[in-house]
Amino acid sequence: MSINVSQISKSLQRFSWPDYLVFMLMLISCMCIGVYFGWQDHLKKKHHRGRRGSEALDYLVGGRKMKVFPVAMSLVASFISGISLLGTSTEIYVYGTQYCYIFIAVVLTGFALHYIYLPVFHELQLTSTYEYLDRRFDRRIRLFGSVTYIITSIIWIPIVIYVPSLAFAQVTGINIHLTSPVICAVCIFYTCIGGLKAVVWTDVIQGVIMLASMIVVAIKATVQVGGLNVVIERNYESGRIEAPIWDLDMTIRHSFWSTVVGGFVYWNSVNGCNQSMVQRYLSLPNLKAARKAVWFFVIGIIVILSFCVYNGLLIYAMYHDCDPLQTGLAKQKDQLVPLLVMSVLGDYPGLTGCFVAGVFSAALSSLSTGMNSLAAVVLEDFVKPACKEKLSDRTTAYIMRSTVIFFGLLGTALVFVVEHLGQVLQLSMSLSGAALGASLAVYIIGLFMPWINATSTLVGACSGIVSAMYIVLRAQTDIANKVLTFETKPTSIEGCTYSFVAKNVTNLGLDVNNFTENHSKPIHHMSYMYYTLFGALISISVAQLATFVFGKQDPDELDRKLITPIVRKYLRKPSINKYDVQLGKQITDENVCKTYEFQDAEKNGH
């Protein structure tokens, strides 16, 4: 008598007590790190009782005394969320390796951070990146950036919690409503107590667990399917290993140009001007250290994503003749990787727990980083500007920790909503991605276009968000109505050894933008990789046109520190007459005073 898919599924749920022990040890270690750094900060405050205003500096940027390696590890761990860890492998299994050219975009983003963003942000010694917008433009643009970040974070946080909870349900059978509140509570605890130092050092541990677990799965699964040659051969025959698509058609879901050009713009938006990432770079003592962290981050991201890609190839090599999505063995696409893990490591107590701990580590690091960054944004961009008097350290601590608790609880509550969204889950992620284009455009204008003023920038940014949202909504509507379809790589169920009711998996609810030739190709059918680029281009173009209505700003009136060094050297320097060296006469233009030191004055000893 043949067994059915339900029996196979239950037999794979072999999460034993050693697995639970490994998983619990990971959570306990995170809490202990939070307690340790919280106690260290308490002792430090007692020793420096008279140093007012240190609370926010210590909690949000670690006193700007963090070390390069842990910060770089933290950047990698927090950027690779559970969504990336599971979703990248699924992408390769369903669509093939065309997405891999994103690695080029990652390297290019490293150069952008090195030469464009970090020199400005570090020189200004910011805590909130949106403080830059206030200095470069005005309060309105700062609020635009802050509100956009908060809204996208509220959308993103419950998804970060939900996806690994779904994976945990696959390997244990435990309902996500039991795991997600516990995980979020642990994250709130160590983020509240330890601040950025706890976030960074827990990220280091979580990053090591994540990488180690992926290496173990990759090695064991490769041996089990028959070696590396078998993995490559099966994927090559199915068309998953493919050469770059050089077609310039913007409606192709993944081509060389969409992954490199579109990916570069997207990665700039989430690395160059995103509070959660920049805040870590600003925790380092100087620009040289921050630049080192950038390249450690780039290398770390490439290593982790390479394993994610390889795991996608392994999933197909393992299930090349019995697709788990069609048989129902994996009920959702994000359960493919946990299914592979249980098939490969299920007989080895503790190893499955190690991998699940790695997935949750990715989620915890992203979640803690997001909540710590939200605390920085709320404090620096909303509370401090609204207060007439300087906040005490005690009030500052209360505000920051209350913010972490509030957004943590909100994210946990929204998991219950996300579970029932279905196709709208993809919509919510696409909407947050569309908003990134306008946010990036504001920084590009600020750094590269000193003649554009605040009003023109605000008009451009609002136009960019509205245009990008229109594109996303139209595209998602067409996907839901099956007007916009996509082509997946071939799968088979001919080799299945258990009984099942085959499912139609022509549309798995993934981001898709590939369709048949007889369909027209309207602009809203562009690849989702171009959403951020589209929003940024619209924002910049409209802002430039708006200068004919609202006038231009005189670049000489700006503090040159607000402009990227690439453009700064081409700006006209102020006249030496603005500062009378002989009489020591102070000029009235404060920005010029702060920015320039005249060599003649230094030589004469003035």
Side-chain angles (χ1 to χ4, degrees):
M1 181 179 177
S2 64
I3 58 175
N4 58 37
V5 66
S6 178
Q7 292 171 316
I8 291 287
S9 181
K10 288 182 180 179
S11 69
L12 289 174
Q13 293 176 354
R14 292 171 290 187
F15 212 69
S16 57
W17 70 264
D19 298 308
Y20 282 107
L21 179 62
V22 170
F23 184 69
M24 292 303 297
L25 284 175
M26 184 271 292
L27 297 181
I28 292 170
S29 66
C30 293
M31 295 172 70
C32 290
I33 289 173
V35 171
Y36 172 77
F37 282 108
W39 178 248
Q40 288 288 96
D41 285 344
H42 175 70
L43 294 178
K44 184 179 177 182
K45 287 167 196 168
K46 287 180 69 176
H47 186 67
H48 300 283
R49 195 177 292 275
R51 190 164 66 101
R52 185 179 173 88
S54 63
E55 176 68 30
L57 191 68
D58 290 338
Y59 187 84
L60 298 176
V61 290
R64 303 194 196 279
K65 296 179 181 178
M66 300 298 293
K67 302 297 182 183
V68 172
F69 180 73
V71 168
M73 284 289 291
S74 174
L75 287 163
V76 173
S78 60
F79 191 84
I80 300 294
S81 65
I83 301 170
S84 304
L85 207 62
L86 303 179
T88 304
S89 300
T90 302
E91 166 69 32
I92 302 304
Y93 177 79
V94 177
Y95 294 109
T97 58
Q98 198 65 220
Y99 180 76
C100 293
Y101 301 104
I102 196 73
F103 291 145
I104 300 174
V106 174
V107 175
L108 293 176
T109 301
F111 284 105
L113 285 164
H114 186 102
Y115 292 107
I116 297 172
Y117 299 104
L118 291 184
V120 175
F121 292 153
H122 247 281
E123 191 174 5
L124 294 172
Q125 289 290 285
L126 304 175
T127 300
S128 166
T129 55
Y130 307 111
E131 184 183 345
Y132 167 82
L133 301 180
D134 199 352
R135 295 193 194 183
R136 169 61 178 86
F137 299 108
D138 59 21
R139 176 79 177 149
R140 295 173 300 166
I141 306 298
R142 181 175 185 170
L143 286 175
F144 172 84
S146 302
V147 170
T148 302
Y149 175 74
I150 289 173
I151 292 173
T152 53
S153 295
I154 290 173
I155 295 172
W156 173 76
I157 284 175
I159 299 172
V160 170
I161 302 170
Y162 173 72
V163 171
S165 297
L166 197 65
F168 193 72
Q170 169 74 10
V171 299
T172 64
I174 297 176
N175 192 288
I176 63 167
H177 299 311
L178 296 176
T179 55
S180 55
V182 172
I183 298 303
C184 206
V186 170
C187 191
I188 291 172
F189 176 80
Y190 75 76
T191 305
C192 269
I193 293 180
L196 184 73
K197 293 177 185 176
V199 170
V200 167
W201 282 104
T202 51
D203 284 353
V204 171
I205 293 176
Q206 291 159 359
V208 170
I209 295 172
M210 182 169 54
L211 182 60
S213 62
M214 296 184 74
I215 292 173
V216 171
V217 171
I219 294 174
K220 183 66 175 65
T222 302
V223 172
Q224 189 163 323
V225 298
L228 182 61
N229 290 338
V230 175
V231 175
I232 294 174
E233 182 180 345
R234 288 177 180 175
N235 281 278
Y236 183 78
E237 289 176 353
S238 70
R240 281 170 172 78
I241 298 177
E242 51 191 343
I245 298 174
W246 299 103
D247 196 330
L248 292 172
D249 185 355
M250 293 183 69
T251 61
I252 298 175
R253 182 175 181 270
H254 281 160
S255 66
F256 178 84
W257 305 111
S258 67
T259 52
V260 174
V261 178
F264 171 66
V265 175
Y266 172 78
W267 275 68
N268 266 262
S269 66
V270 295
N271 285 284
C273 54
N274 184 289
Q275 173 66 25
S276 62
M277 301 298 287
V278 175
Q279 189 173 331
R280 251 78 60 78
Y281 291 118
L282 297 177
S283 70
L284 293 163
N286 52 53
L287 178 60
K288 183 179 179 180
R291 282 174 162 170
K292 284 183 180 179
V294 166
W295 294 109
F296 278 125
F297 167 71
V298 169
I299 293 170
I301 286 292
I302 290 175
V303 170
I304 295 290
L305 286 181
S306 297
F307 276 104
C308 291
V309 168
Y310 185 66
N311 280 343
L313 299 177
L314 280 171
I315 293 172
Y316 180 73
M318 181 74 72
Y319 301 107
H320 68 285
D321 58 354
C322 189
D323 176 28
L325 291 172
Q326 289 189 65
T327 64
L329 188 59
K331 295 178 175 59
Q332 299 191 43
K333 62 185 185 297
D334 293 317
Q335 293 180 326
L336 283 171
V337 176
L339 179 64
L340 173 70
V341 172
M342 292 307 297
S343 300
V344 172
L345 303 179
D347 293 330
Y348 299 88
L351 290 183
T352 305
C354 182
F355 182 83
V356 173
V359 173
F360 270 97
S361 293
L364 280 171
S365 57
S366 301
L367 188 60
S368 60
T369 299
M371 292 193 296
N372 188 261
S373 300
L374 284 167
V377 169
V378 170
L379 177 69
E380 299 291 335
D381 299 339
F382 292 94
V383 178
K384 282 188 176 180
C387 295
K388 295 181 180 179
E389 297 182 359
K390 188 174 182 180
L391 296 173
S392 67
D393 281 352
R394 184 174 182 179
T395 303
T396 300
Y398 175 77
I399 292 169
M400 291 186 297
R401 287 162 175 80
S402 297
T403 302
V404 169
I405 293 171
F406 172 77
F407 283 107
L409 294 176
L410 179 62
T412 305
L414 290 176
V415 170
F416 293 84
V417 179
V418 166
E419 182 187 16
H420 300 287
L421 289 180
Q423 292 288 334
V424 186
L425 175 60
Q426 176 189 347
L427 175 61
S428 64
M429 294 178 69
S430 298
L431 287 173
S432 61
L436 292 173
S439 298
L440 176 64
V442 170
Y443 285 91
I444 291 176
I445 292 170
L447 293 166
F448 287 93
M449 308 171 78
W451 63 88
I452 298 182
N453 60 29
T455 302
S456 298
T457 301
L458 185 60
V459 171
C462 292
S463 301
I465 279 190
V466 171
S467 301
M469 290 298 182
Y470 169 79
I471 293 293
V472 171
L473 288 170
R474 286 293 306 274
Q476 298 301 318
T477 301
D478 283 356
I479 290 173
N481 295 330
K482 296 189 175 8
V483 174
L484 180 58
T485 58
F486 58 94
E487 182 182 352
T488 60
K489 296 301 180 182
T491 56
S492 172
I493 53 175
E494 293 179 357
C496 295
T497 57
Y498 53 87
S499 60
F500 58 90
V501 178
K503 296 182 178 181
N504 181 6
V505 292
T506 55
N507 192 333
L508 297 171
L510 296 166
D511 287 313
V512 294
N513 285 274
N514 202 5
F515 35 85
T516 57
E517 293 296 328
N518 60 348
H519 278 157
S520 61
K521 297 181 178 180
I523 188 171
H524 63 271
H525 283 187
M526 72 171 68
S527 167
Y528 75 98
M529 296 293 292
Y530 287 123
Y531 287 163
T532 304
L533 175 62
F534 176 80
L537 289 176
I538 292 294
S539 299
I540 294 170
S541 301
V542 172
Q544 178 61 51
L545 292 173
T547 59
F548 294 105
V549 178
F550 301 106
K552 294 185 178 181
Q553 179 171 272
D554 184 0
D556 292 336
E557 294 180 356
L558 284 177
D559 185 344
R560 283 162 61 96
K561 291 180 182 178
L562 298 169
I563 308 301
T564 183
I566 296 173
V567 176
R568 192 184 300 172
K569 59 186 177 183
Y570 297 108
L571 296 179
R572 183 171 63 86
K573 293 184 178 181
S575 172
I576 192 71
N577 293 329
K578 286 188 176 183
Y579 190 87
D580 190 339
V581 176
Q582 298 297 327
L583 300 177
K585 183 180 178 182
Q586 186 86 23
I587 61 173
T588 57
D589 186 348
E590 288 187 12
N591 287 333
V592 177
C593 277
K594 292 178 181 178
T595 308
Y596 302 107
E597 296 177 359
F598 296 101
Q599 293 182 358
D600 291 341
E602 292 178 354
K603 288 178 182 178
N604 294 327
H606 292 284

